[in-house]
């Protein structure tokens, strides 16, 4: 079991990581704070004796000290208790930008030293940004000077301030995340001649205080952070923390007689690929992603972004190999996912990934050393997400392992013909896609629910993006009236007709529409691919030139047509595609049911036919 000393931004980061990977822990704070923490929470002061007793009683084998840097007494007690019990310790420290003495900034070893020197100066109005805990520490100062204290705008901080002898009129509750402008306004309003702070680090927004001092040309006096005990490990980054934790977990948290299973490199690559896809479509990385294993078990990976642009995204995950003697345990495995102009999924070699140099392996010579099962895992995830987000399946997957080249020297890879890095292997962790039968059963149930909610009209879309585009067209319909057909256009329409729907609205993105226009009622890429000759024929019927027709014949993806034939509601080509789609759907209807079709082109284009 693990004990975290938190109450800080760093403590919440550790708890969040543990929550993602489903790691149990106790979370200790002095007061009842951080109520969103999922671990078992512990309140109250703990000296070394209490820490020892708690650890012995609860079977604690790792302590994570993520407490405030100035909690000197607590750090010492944690270290002393851990040393006496032989428990491993990880100190999660906040990042501290380098501070140098300057015209504005002056550094001190203690509050006592700072107070003594300040009382020898002429500054009369002081604004202390040191927190509510320092009010009593600075009592000699505010007894002789006008001293305001900015504190956290919380009930607990206000209560602590009222428990001191300081007149509450000199207490200013304020959001500490307030920017330079707000702090500068407050400083000028109080006529403060000097700012006091402690070395609070990045999460303590020290840079804001520096900027205000410089902007107003007033001194900023700073108490330096105290030295830490000699903890086993010290980290200041969530990714590095997780790497260190996995290494410690393999030793300090190992249960005698039990071997803990881990996850394959292929599962890691799948998770990183999934995160990159989400980042490309939603313009930001998720904090974590989930991958489903064959037995139905779901595993989650924290995501550590590397880069994001309009056409590419890259991130890493950390591998937990369990108790397997794997050289990649606790190391980064990453993916750079890029949008291609050609359909399909292509795997290329990134830094630290090996290349196959000898025949006889599962992968041809010259290919990146990614075995068939991980390739299929990644392809399945991309296919499923492409359908869900209504995107073309056209991606380049560059797997990379930053330390792979050096780590490969510790393996047998060079002997079996894998050179220059690690191979990505694994035969488990495959994401199983839903069968058409299971998907249709789900759709049938949704149609029944819509009917049961008195809906005679429904809206069928291939995914969430097209659903969102149509919401303002049907303000009278409840959420249950919106049903996703994925690729099964024809079967879904049949189900709706059989259930007695009177009006069916079908929304289809342009990429799928050219398949439907050709008569394909299942638009899955396994069943039908983009037929450039057919679409060029539609362009001819719509009166487009031979040159445009020939350009279309060279395309690999339907959406590239937008660059050749710009969209407008009156453009004959897009209206012809919409009419063809409608014509192919109409034979599925009966006398009591009508159908309206929405062709969605690009991000905003729409043509409605009925």
């Amino acid at each position: 079991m693990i004990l975290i000393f938190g109450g800080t931004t760093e403590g919440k980061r550790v708890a969040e990581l543990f929550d993602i990977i489903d790691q149990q822990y106790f979370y200790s704070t002095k007061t009842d704070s951080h109520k969103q923490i999922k671990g078992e929470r512990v309140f109250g002061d703990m000296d070394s004796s209490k820490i020892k007793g708690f650890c012995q009683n609860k079977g604690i084998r790792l302590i994570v000290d993520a407490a405030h840097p100035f909690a000197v007494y607590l750090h010492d007690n944690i270290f002393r208790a851990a040393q006496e019990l032989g428990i491993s310790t990880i100190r999660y420290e906040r990042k501290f930008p380098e501070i140098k003495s300057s015209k504005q900034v002056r550094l001190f070893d203690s509050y006592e030293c700072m107070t003594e020197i300040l009382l020898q100066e002429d500054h009369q109005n002081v604004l202390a940004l040191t927190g509510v805990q320092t009010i009593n520490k600075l009592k000699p100062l505010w007894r002789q000077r006008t001293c305001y204290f900015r504190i956290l705008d919380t009930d607990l901080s206000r209560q602590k301030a009222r428990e001191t002898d300081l007149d509450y009129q000199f207490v200013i509750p304020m959001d500490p995340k307030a920017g330079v402008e707000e702090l500068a306004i407050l400083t000028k309003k109080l006529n403060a001649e000097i700012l006091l702070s402690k070395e609070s680090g990045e999460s303590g927004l020290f840079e804001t205080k520096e900027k205000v001092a410089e902007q107003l040309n007033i001194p900023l006096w700073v108490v330096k952070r105290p030295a830490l005990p000699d903890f086993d490990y010290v980290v200041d980054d969530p990714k590095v923390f997780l790497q260190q934790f996995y290494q410690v977990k393999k030793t300090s948290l190992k249960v005698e007689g039990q071997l803990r299973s881990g996850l394959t490199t292929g599962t890691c690559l799948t998770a990183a690929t999934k995160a990159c896809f989400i980042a490309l479509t939603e313009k930001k990385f998720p904090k974590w992603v989930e991958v489903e294993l064959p037995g139905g078990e779901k595993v989650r990976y924290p995501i550590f972004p590397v880069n994001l642009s309009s056409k590419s995204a890259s991130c890493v995950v950390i591998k937990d190999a369990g108790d397997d003697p794997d050289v990649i345990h606790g190391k980064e495995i990453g993916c750079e996912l890029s949008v291609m102009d050609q359909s399909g999924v292509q795997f290329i070699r990134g830094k630290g990934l090996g290349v196959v140099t000898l025949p006889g392996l599962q992968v041809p010579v010259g290919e990146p050393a990614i075995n068939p099962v991980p390739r299929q895992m990644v392809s399945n995830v991309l296919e499923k997400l492409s359908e869900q987000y209504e995107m073309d399946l056209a991606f380049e997957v560059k797997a990379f392992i930053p330390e792979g080249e050096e780590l490969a020297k510790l393996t047998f890879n060079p002997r079996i013909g894998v050179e220059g890095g690690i191979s990505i292997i694994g035969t488990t962790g495959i994401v199983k896609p839903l069968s058409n039968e299971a998907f249709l059963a789900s759709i049938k149930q949704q149609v029944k629910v819509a009917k049961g909610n008195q809906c005679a009209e429904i809206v069928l879309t291939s995914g969430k993006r097209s659903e969102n585009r149509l919401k303002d067209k049907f303000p009278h319909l409840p959420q249950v009236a919106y049903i996703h057909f994925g690729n099964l256009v024809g079967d879904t329409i049949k189900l709706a007709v059989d259930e007695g729907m009177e009006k069916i609205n079908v929304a289809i993105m342009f990429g799928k529409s050219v398949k439907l226009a050709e008569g394909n009622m299942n638009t899955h890429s396994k069943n039908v691919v983009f037929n450039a000759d057919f679409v060029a024929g539609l362009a001819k019927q719509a009166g487009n030139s031979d040159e445009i027709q020939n350009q279309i014949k060279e395309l690999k993806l339907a959406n590239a047509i937008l660059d050749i034939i710009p969209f407008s509601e009156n453009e004959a080509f897009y209206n012809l595609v919409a009419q063809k789609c409608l014509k192919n759907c109409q034979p599925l209807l009966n006398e009591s049911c009508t159908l309206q079709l929405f062709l969605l082109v690009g991000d905003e284009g729409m043509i409605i036919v009925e």
Side-chain angles (χ1 to χ4, degrees):
M1 199 61 176
I2 300 166
L3 173 60
I4 303 171
F5 285 91
T8 57
T9 301
E10 294 72 34
K12 287 198 292 185
R13 285 175 182 163
V14 173
E16 184 178 61
L17 286 172
F18 283 172
D19 290 340
I20 292 171
I21 65 175
D22 201 24
Q23 172 65 55
Q24 291 183 315
Y25 61 93
F26 291 96
Y27 190 85
S28 173
T29 53
K30 186 176 181 180
T31 57
D32 185 3
S33 59
H34 287 191
K35 296 184 179 180
Q36 73 276 29
I37 298 299
K38 294 180 181 177
E40 188 169 341
R41 293 159 62 228
V42 182
F43 316 122
D45 284 319
M46 280 206 214
D47 58 18
S48 62
S49 176
K50 287 184 179 179
I51 293 173
K52 280 177 60 179
F54 184 88
C55 290
Q56 290 171 321
N57 184 42
K58 300 296 185 180
I60 302 298
R61 300 173 68 184
L62 171 66
I63 296 177
V64 179
D65 179 5
H68 196 281
F70 281 78
V72 177
Y73 180 68
L74 179 57
H75 299 317
D76 289 341
N77 284 329
I78 292 170
F79 180 75
R80 190 177 304 114
Q83 286 287 100
E84 292 178 11
L85 294 175
I87 296 175
S88 295
T89 53
I90 301 177
R91 166 62 183 168
Y92 193 130
E93 184 67 289
R94 61 184 55 177
K95 290 183 182 292
F96 287 96
E98 184 180 2
I99 303 174
K100 294 182 179 179
S101 295
S102 63
K103 178 183 176 183
Q104 262 82 38
V105 179
R106 187 170 175 180
L107 303 175
F108 297 87
D109 291 325
S110 67
Y111 289 105
E112 292 77 15
C113 179
M114 183 171 68
T115 299
E116 181 181 346
I117 296 175
L118 183 53
L119 289 175
Q120 298 172 17
E121 300 279 335
D122 294 330
H123 304 300
Q124 296 299 314
N125 288 342
V126 179
L127 175 55
L129 309 171
T130 48
V132 70
Q133 301 281 9
T134 64
I135 293 178
N136 285 332
K137 291 179 182 291
L138 295 174
K139 182 180 288 189
L141 177 64
W142 51 261
R143 279 180 167 173
Q144 299 184 53
R145 296 286 191 273
T146 301
C147 188
Y148 296 91
F149 285 83
R150 187 192 70 173
I151 67 170
L152 289 175
D153 189 11
T154 65
D155 292 340
L156 180 60
S157 289
R158 286 190 286 271
Q159 178 186 335
K160 288 183 176 180
R162 288 191 172 96
E163 290 171 355
T164 69
D165 296 332
L166 178 68
D167 190 328
Y168 195 75
Q169 67 173 315
F170 296 105
V171 175
I172 304 169
M174 185 176 177
D175 183 354
K177 293 183 180 180
V180 173
E181 183 179 353
E182 291 88 347
L183 182 54
I185 291 172
L186 175 64
T187 305
K188 288 189 284 188
K189 178 182 177 181
L190 301 176
N191 294 316
E193 304 164 67
I194 185 171
L195 299 177
L196 305 185
S197 181
K198 55 194 174 192
E199 191 178 0
S200 53
E202 286 185 359
S203 61
L205 304 171
F206 184 81
E207 187 180 0
T208 298
K209 304 164 190 176
E210 282 188 300
K211 289 181 178 178
V212 171
E214 183 178 355
Q215 178 181 314
L216 301 182
N217 194 28
I218 61 175
L220 171 63
W221 286 13
V222 183
V223 175
K224 293 186 290 186
R225 70 185 187 274
L228 289 170
D230 191 18
F231 293 113
D232 294 330
Y233 311 97
V234 179
V235 300
D236 64 359
D237 175 85
K239 180 177 68 178
V240 178
F241 171 81
L242 190 60
Q243 290 181 288
Q244 190 62 69
F245 170 68
Y246 281 150
Q247 296 293 355
V248 172
K249 190 175 183 180
K250 203 164 188 173
T251 54
S252 299
L253 301 183
K254 187 171 182 177
V255 179
E256 192 67 32
Q258 295 182 18
L259 291 177
R260 189 173 56 88
S261 61
L263 298 166
T264 65
T265 47
T267 306
C268 293
L269 177 60
T270 303
T273 303
K274 183 175 183 178
C276 287
F277 183 101
I278 293 171
L280 279 173
T281 53
E282 298 189 359
K283 310 307 179 189
K284 66 176 182 178
F285 278 97
K287 289 185 177 180
W288 54 271
V289 297
E290 189 171 70
V291 177
E292 186 174 347
L293 302 179
E297 179 188 2
K298 295 179 179 179
V299 294
R300 292 185 294 189
Y301 281 87
I303 300 302
F304 303 100
V306 175
N307 187 54
L308 177 59
S309 67
S310 60
K311 294 291 186 180
S312 130
S314 58
C315 70
V316 298
V317 300
I318 308 302
K319 178 170 182 177
D320 178 9
D323 289 327
D324 186 63
D326 188 339
V327 298
I328 321 177
H329 176 71
K331 304 299 182 182
E332 299 176 36
I333 296 176
C335 172
E336 180 181 345
L337 186 68
S338 302
V339 178
M340 296 194 304
D341 293 329
Q342 187 171 330
S343 63
V345 177
Q346 181 178 342
F347 293 88
I348 65 172
R349 183 187 178 201
K351 176 180 173 62
L353 177 65
V355 62
V356 177
T357 61
L358 296 176
L361 297 175
Q362 298 180 58
V363 178
V365 172
E367 279 286 307
I370 307 175
N371 280 3
V373 170
R375 288 176 185 244
Q376 191 60 52
M377 292 166 64
V378 170
S379 297
N380 286 347
V381 162
L382 288 175
E383 183 177 303
K384 184 176 181 180
L385 289 169
S386 294
E387 292 176 10
Q388 180 182 340
Y389 282 83
E390 303 178 89
M391 290 182 63
D392 293 314
L393 183 66
F395 295 101
E396 177 184 87
V397 178
K398 180 190 285 186
F400 62 92
I401 303 96
E403 300 178 61
E405 193 168 349
E406 287 302 311
L407 292 172
K409 297 174 183 177
L410 306 175
T411 72
F412 290 109
N413 274 6
R415 293 189 186 183
I416 61 173
V418 175
E419 299 285 350
I422 291 294
S423 54
I424 293 183
I425 58 176
T427 56
T428 60
I430 300 173
V431 178
K432 290 185 175 181
L434 283 173
S435 66
N436 282 354
E437 292 77 14
F439 191 33
L440 277 173
S442 172
I443 293 174
K444 185 174 183 178
Q445 186 63 35
Q446 293 176 65
V447 175
K448 285 182 175 294
V449 170
K451 186 70 173 178
N453 279 270
Q454 313 305 315
C455 293
E457 179 181 8
I458 58 173
V459 181
L460 306 181
T461 72
S462 53
K464 191 67 176 177
R465 185 159 61 127
S466 48
E467 176 186 320
N468 290 339
R469 292 270 295 273
L470 263 69
K471 277 291 178 68
D472 62 347
K473 301 287 185 185
F474 303 96
H476 59 289
L477 293 181
Q479 182 60 44
V480 293
Y482 292 84
I483 298 169
H484 296 174
F485 59 75
N487 288 292
L488 307 179
V489 189
D491 287 334
T492 304
I493 292 174
K494 289 178 186 176
L495 286 173
V497 172
D498 291 345
E499 199 60 36
M501 288 296 166
E502 298 173 7
K503 184 171 184 182
I504 301 172
N505 302 284
V506 176
I508 189 162
M509 301 296 288
F510 180 65
K512 293 182 187 292
S513 74
V514 294
K515 298 179 181 180
L516 179 59
E518 193 179 0
N520 298 291
M521 307 310 289
N522 181 341
T523 60
H524 198 290
S525 57
K526 288 182 179 178
N527 299 325
V528 58
V529 295
F530 170 62
N531 187 341
D533 290 335
F534 168 75
V535 179
L538 294 182
K540 181 179 180 179
Q541 291 181 49
N544 288 282
S545 66
D546 289 344
E547 180 183 356
I548 287 178
Q549 295 171 44
N550 290 332
Q551 288 182 51
I552 291 175
K553 290 179 181 179
E554 298 297 318
L555 298 179
K556 303 295 182 183
L557 297 172
N559 285 320
I561 295 173
L562 287 168
D563 295 328
I564 299 172
I565 305 177
F567 174 80
S568 76
E569 292 183 5
N570 299 320
E571 171 56 51
F573 170 75
Y574 294 107
N575 277 276
L576 179 59
V577 171
Q579 290 291 346
K580 289 279 187 182
C581 290
L582 179 66
K583 181 179 179 181
N584 288 332
C585 292
Q586 284 175 331
L588 304 176
L589 306 176
N590 58 28
E591 296 177 353
S592 58
C593 182
T594 61
L595 187 143
Q596 183 174 219
L597 187 134
F598 296 75
L599 173 62
L600 307 180
V601 184
D603 291 330
E604 297 180 356
M606 182 183 297
I607 290 176
I608 306 173
V609 292
E610 59 182 330

